[in-house]
């Protein structure tokens, strides 16, 4: 029997010359991606893990066993019920956003497994697809047990099957990133930008917060997922290196575009969990500091490694680090019935911490929370206040990121309009406008929520929108966690 | 007085101090002062109404006595309401 090292290289690097079809027919540019290059330009594609299928299965089996063990020891319903209420709601946020997004990663990796330009890339993408299937199943498994306790956990599976405004935004992102994407762009955007960059917010930042919240089941789940990500993320780097060699301008565009798209989604998703739903007592790092340490610094090293420049919007990004997720959270609090988890008003001590971490614009954000508190005091706690302290006007959304128009500062919202072929669009920020303008044929026919309302595709009143279009019910729509009964009121 | 019913004009309203842009349906015949009030009411949940405001459209302060149509508003454009 051959030893592993005698056959593995041949198995991984099994490419051949085509005799009765052209290479371009086997790997069409539309689905393999651009720049289209002959295989001779890809044959040096390599990654460090060089895993065999047998090793893969054994490793994954061991990792699954460890996840099951932690679930059985500390991840049962009675364990979750002991956790702080804000953290449980952060769990609902991530529980819903994660699993089916990971499933789109299965599709994306399978595309790489067929249309990747070198056999070692295709082998690694096959493992990547299996990884992403695992990342779909684990959160569905762990959180399913919680549905009988709290029906909002049903949104772990339900979110992406609805037209909830966050689902529209996340689907728009993942559809482009993974499902409707060619192999080159998908692997650069997913592996280089998302998996070696932004998922650090989850796998390092959120894991440490989960540890602090004593949620060891969630901590174990995301650290186990991270070990897979660290491996299959390696696909993207040699892909980017080849694109950089042949078309550096396009490489720069892909990085700039996808860093910004990731930033808005993760800021909304992880930003609010980190700074509003995780306890701040005894903790050092804010979301901004997590971003600076694990995303900004690492991203700059990645750019240097490939000879890429910082995105042109760097100063805008640094400004948004101060405000964006705060603007989204304050907005979402006042539209909490449009989402599937509950909200909390940050306490005076919490706001003091936020002011220390985000001094630049906190006065303006503090004024918003004071106004919300005035409404609670006037309406009183309970169901009456719950409906009175809630927005009723229709929110407006960005035509690129599909998220609320909450970019900029409370004094200077950066939304701007754009006309293409006689049609008007609104973009929340200059980078969203730039991305939209570069590929209007990709984005122009997708309607954000407001335009669906105006076109008669979605109900025009908030109650109908919440129940009929977002598919929320009185049991599942978001509420104030304290029903307005705050000790400092 | 026109007997022809006018369609409401959808606009994106941005209230100074607010954390979000809102969809505001304007009546073409309503005054700029009324439109500014409408946005203040829509954002009232997050921003305390102010007694004196000005409405800015396409970089210019608009006379509060003008009507929306006289001011040249077109659908799906941005306007701002802010303190003088």
């Amino acid at each position: 029997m051959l030893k592993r090292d005698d056959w593995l290289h041949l198995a991984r690097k099994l490419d051949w010359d085509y005799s009765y079809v052209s290479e371009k027919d086997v790997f069409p540019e539309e689905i393999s991606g651009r720049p289209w290059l002959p295989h001779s330009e890809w044959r040096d594609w390599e990654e460090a893990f060089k895993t065999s299928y047998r090793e893969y299965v054994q490793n994954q089996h061991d990792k699954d066993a460890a996840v099951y063990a932690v679930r059985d020891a500390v991840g049962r319903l009675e364990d979750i019920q002991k956790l702080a209420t804000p953290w449980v709601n952060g769990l609902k946020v991530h529980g819903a956003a994660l699993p089916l997004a990971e499933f789109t990663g299965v599709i994306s990796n399978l595309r790489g497994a067929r249309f990747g330009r070198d056999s070692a890339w295709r082998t690694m993408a096959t493992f990547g697809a299996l990884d992403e299937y695992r990342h779909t199943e684990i959160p569905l498994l762990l959180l399913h047990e919680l549905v009988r306790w709290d029906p909002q956990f049903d949104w772990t599976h339900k979110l992406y099957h609805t037209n909830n405004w966050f689902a529209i935004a996340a689907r728009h992102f993942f559809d482009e990133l993974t499902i409707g994407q060619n192999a080159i762009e998908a692997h650069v955007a997913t592996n280089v930008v998302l998996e070696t960059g932004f998922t650090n917010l989850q796998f390092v930042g959120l894991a440490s917060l989960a540890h602090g919240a004593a949620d060891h089941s969630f901590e174990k789940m995301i650290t186990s997922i991270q070990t897979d990500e660290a491996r299959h993320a390696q696909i993207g780097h040699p892909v980017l290196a080849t694109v950089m060699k042949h078309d550096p301008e396009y490489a720069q565009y892909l990085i700039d575009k996808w860093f910004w798209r990731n930033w808005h989604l993760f800021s909304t998703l992880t930003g609010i969990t980190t700074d509003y739903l995780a306890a701040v007592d005894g903790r050092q790092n804010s979301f901004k500091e997590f971003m600076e340490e694990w995303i900004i610094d690492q991203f700059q090293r990645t750019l240097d490694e490939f000879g890429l420049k910082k995105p042109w919007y760097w100063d805008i990004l640094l400004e948004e680090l101060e405000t964006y997720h705060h603007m989204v959270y304050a907005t979402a609090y006042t539209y909490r019935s449009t989402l599937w988890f509950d909200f909390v008003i940050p306490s005076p001590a919490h706001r003091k911490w936020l002011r220390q971490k985000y001094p630049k614009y906190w006065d303006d954000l503090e004024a918003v929370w004071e106004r919300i508190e005035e409404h609670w005091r006037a309406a009183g706690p309970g169901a009456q206040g719950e409906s009175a302290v809630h927005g009723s006007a229709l929110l407006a959304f960005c035509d690129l990121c599909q998220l609320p128009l909450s970019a900029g500062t409370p004094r200077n919202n950066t939304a701007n309009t754009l006309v293409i072929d006689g049609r008007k669009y609104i973009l929340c920020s200059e980078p969203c406008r730039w991305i939209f303008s570069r590929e209007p044929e990709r984005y122009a026919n997708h309607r954000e929520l407001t335009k669906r309302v105006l076109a008669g595709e979605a109900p025009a009143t908030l109650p109908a929108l919440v129940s009929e279009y977002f598919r929320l019910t009185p049991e599942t729509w978001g509420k104030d966690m304290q029903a307005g009964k705050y000790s400092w009121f | 007085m026109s007997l022809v019913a006018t369609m409401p004009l959808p606009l994106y309203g941005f209230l100074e101090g607010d954390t979000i842009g809102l969809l505001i349906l304007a009546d073409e015949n309503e005054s700029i002062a009324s439109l500014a009030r409408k946005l203040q009411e829509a954002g009232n949940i997050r921003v305390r109404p102010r007694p004196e405001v000005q409405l800015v459209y396409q970089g210019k302060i608009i006379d509060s006595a003008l009507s929306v149509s006289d001011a040249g508003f077109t659908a799906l454009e941005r306007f701002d309401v802010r303190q003088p």
Side-chain angles (χ1 to χ4, degrees):
Chain A
M1 192 169 172
L2 288 173
K3 291 179 183 169
R4 176 188 186 277
D5 290 347
D6 294 332
W7 58 264
L8 186 62
H9 180 74
L10 178 63
R12 290 177 64 256
K13 290 297 232 184
L14 190 61
D15 283 289
W16 60 90
D17 295 328
Y18 306 101
S19 56
Y20 58 91
V21 285
S22 73
E23 196 182 348
K24 270 203 158 181
D25 288 335
V26 179
F27 298 103
E29 183 174 318
E30 290 80 359
I31 195 160
S32 282
R34 73 179 172 96
W36 195 93
L37 303 164
H39 181 253
S40 55
E41 297 297 328
W42 293 101
R43 71 162 48 109
D44 293 333
W45 193 101
E46 197 48 278
E47 46 84 17
F49 282 80
K50 299 181 177 60
T51 308
S52 72
Y53 183 68
R54 182 191 181 97
E55 290 159 350
Y56 177 84
V57 171
Q58 185 61 54
N59 285 340
Q60 300 304 88
H61 177 266
D62 294 346
K63 285 194 279 187
D64 282 350
V67 171
Y68 283 128
V70 171
R71 181 195 65 162
D72 292 343
V74 291
R76 294 295 182 187
L77 176 56
E78 55 271 27
D79 302 306
I80 305 298
Q81 286 173 322
K82 291 176 193 159
L83 302 175
T85 306
W87 177 260
V88 170
N89 282 279
L91 200 55
K92 291 172 194 169
V93 176
H94 283 266
L98 186 66
L100 297 202
E102 296 277 5
F103 187 74
T104 72
V106 177
I107 297 165
S108 175
N109 275 282
L110 287 176
R111 185 169 298 111
R114 164 60 183 83
F115 293 101
R117 297 304 317 280
D118 182 78
S119 58
W121 168 357
R122 296 194 291 273
T123 300
M124 194 63 153
T126 306
F127 294 144
L130 293 168
D131 289 339
E132 302 294 12
Y133 198 67
R134 177 174 185 261
H135 305 170
T136 309
E137 288 182 321
I138 291 175
L140 289 176
L141 172 76
L142 295 184
L143 300 181
H144 181 256
E145 191 181 357
L146 309 183
V147 178
R148 64 190 166 96
W149 168 52
D150 184 337
Q152 288 181 327
F153 276 108
D154 192 31
W155 278 63
T156 305
H157 192 268
K158 184 174 178 177
L159 172 68
Y160 287 95
H161 297 295
T162 75
N163 280 315
N164 181 273
W165 64 260
F166 185 79
I168 292 172
R171 264 203 313 264
H172 188 277
F173 176 87
F174 287 109
D175 280 357
E176 187 186 10
L177 180 78
T178 53
I179 295 178
Q181 194 52 270
N182 65 67
I184 287 176
E185 183 165 346
H187 281 293
V188 169
T190 307
N191 304 142
V192 179
V193 182
L194 191 150
E195 289 173 348
T196 53
F198 281 86
T199 51
N200 280 335
L201 287 173
Q202 323 284 101
F203 299 132
V204 185
L206 216 55
S208 72
L209 296 180
H211 184 79
D215 187 356
H216 302 300
S217 171
F218 187 74
E219 180 189 4
K220 180 65 187 175
M221 175 182 83
I222 53 180
T223 49
S224 181
I225 288 174
Q226 164 63 359
T227 59
D228 296 342
E229 302 277 346
R231 173 175 26 75
H232 69 237
Q234 299 303 311
I235 298 172
H237 287 248
V239 175
L240 178 60
T242 305
V243 176
M244 188 65 192
K245 181 179 169 190
H246 293 274
D247 192 345
E249 190 183 328
Y250 181 54
Q252 184 78 51
Y253 173 66
L254 292 182
I255 294 293
D256 293 359
K257 167 186 171 180
W258 284 105
F259 190 84
W260 187 261
R261 295 220 62 188
N262 273 276
W263 155 244
H264 264 199
L265 192 75
F266 277 86
S267 181
T268 304
L269 181 66
T270 316
I272 66 170
T273 308
T274 305
D275 277 350
Y276 290 93
L277 301 178
V280 296
D281 301 345
R283 137 158 105 88
Q284 296 298 315
N285 286 335
S286 64
F287 174 67
K288 181 177 84 173
E289 289 161 334
F290 281 146
M291 276 291 299
E292 288 169 344
E293 184 175 349
W294 290 316
I295 308 298
I296 305 284
D297 290 353
Q298 177 170 323
F299 185 61
Q300 293 200 47
R301 285 196 296 276
T302 302
L303 294 176
D304 291 344
E305 180 190 335
F306 286 98
L308 290 156
K309 294 180 287 222
K310 271 196 301 198
W312 61 269
Y313 52 71
W314 204 247
D315 291 342
I316 298 173
L317 172 78
L318 297 180
E319 275 290 283
E320 281 208 2
L321 271 175
E322 302 282 343
T323 57
Y324 183 64
H325 66 296
H326 299 304
M327 302 260 289
V328 171
Y329 185 74
T331 300
Y333 177 87
T334 56
Y335 284 88
R336 54 198 175 279
S337 74
T338 67
L339 292 157
W340 68 96
F341 56 93
D342 296 338
F343 287 73
V344 65
I345 295 179
S347 70
H350 191 151
R351 279 169 17 208
K352 186 179 172 190
W353 186 86
L354 288 167
R355 178 186 290 280
Q356 286 168 354
K357 297 295 184 182
Y358 300 92
K360 200 167 179 182
Y361 299 107
W362 191 259
D363 281 347
D364 291 333
L365 293 156
E366 179 69 31
V368 170
W369 287 113
E370 286 173 0
R371 181 63 179 158
I372 291 168
E373 288 180 358
E374 283 174 13
H375 285 292
W376 270 113
R377 288 193 186 96
Q384 189 178 339
E386 193 65 66
S387 57
V389 190
H390 199 283
S392 56
L394 287 180
L395 302 174
F397 295 87
C398 175
D399 269 306
L400 190 274
C401 68
Q402 312 289 312
L403 292 164
L405 297 177
S406 291
T409 69
R411 288 173 195 265
N412 183 27
N413 191 300
T414 54
N416 56 92
T417 55
L418 172 70
V419 178
I420 296 178
D421 293 335
R423 283 174 64 178
K424 283 183 186 168
Y425 304 92
I426 189 154
L427 292 313
C428 68
S429 59
E430 282 299 321
C432 278
R433 180 192 180 93
W434 175 73
I435 295 166
F436 192 98
S437 303
R438 285 284 300 254
E439 299 181 76
E441 70 287 353
R442 195 166 183 84
Y443 305 118
N445 289 325
H446 184 278
R447 284 196 178 111
E448 47 81 20
L449 182 63
T450 312
K451 292 199 178 67
R452 295 183 192 194
V453 170
L454 294 172
E457 293 173 11
T461 66
L462 199 64
L465 204 55
V466 166
S467 58
E468 295 167 25
Y469 205 64
F470 297 168
R471 295 179 60 201
L472 286 151
T473 62
E475 293 74 36
T476 54
W477 64 50
K479 301 164 193 72
D480 184 289
M481 285 175 213
Q482 308 276 337
K485 291 177 198 145
Y486 291 95
S487 60
W488 68 89
F489 275 11
Chain B
M1 184 178 161
S2 170
L3 294 176
V4 180
T6 55
M7 290 289 287
L9 194 66
L11 298 166
Y12 296 112
F14 292 86
L15 179 62
E16 186 178 36
D18 206 351
T19 53
I20 178 68
L22 297 168
L23 181 74
I24 301 296
L25 297 177
D27 177 343
E28 289 187 347
N29 298 320
E30 76 178 305
S31 68
I32 292 301
S34 164
L35 180 62
R37 248 191 329 273
K38 204 179 257 184
L39 179 57
Q40 291 220 81
E41 285 165 12
N44 174 44
I45 187 76
R46 292 170 302 277
V47 181
R48 198 170 295 138
R50 294 175 177 117
E52 283 189 37
V53 292
Q54 59 191 22
L55 188 147
V56 177
Y57 178 60
Q58 296 186 334
K60 292 179 188 158
I61 299 168
I62 308 298
D63 181 345
S64 61
L66 284 178
S67 72
V68 166
S69 61
D70 288 343
F73 277 73
T74 57
L76 299 176
E77 287 291 351
R78 169 179 178 154
F79 72 96
D80 288 71
V81 170
R82 54 179 62 154
Q83 291 189 88

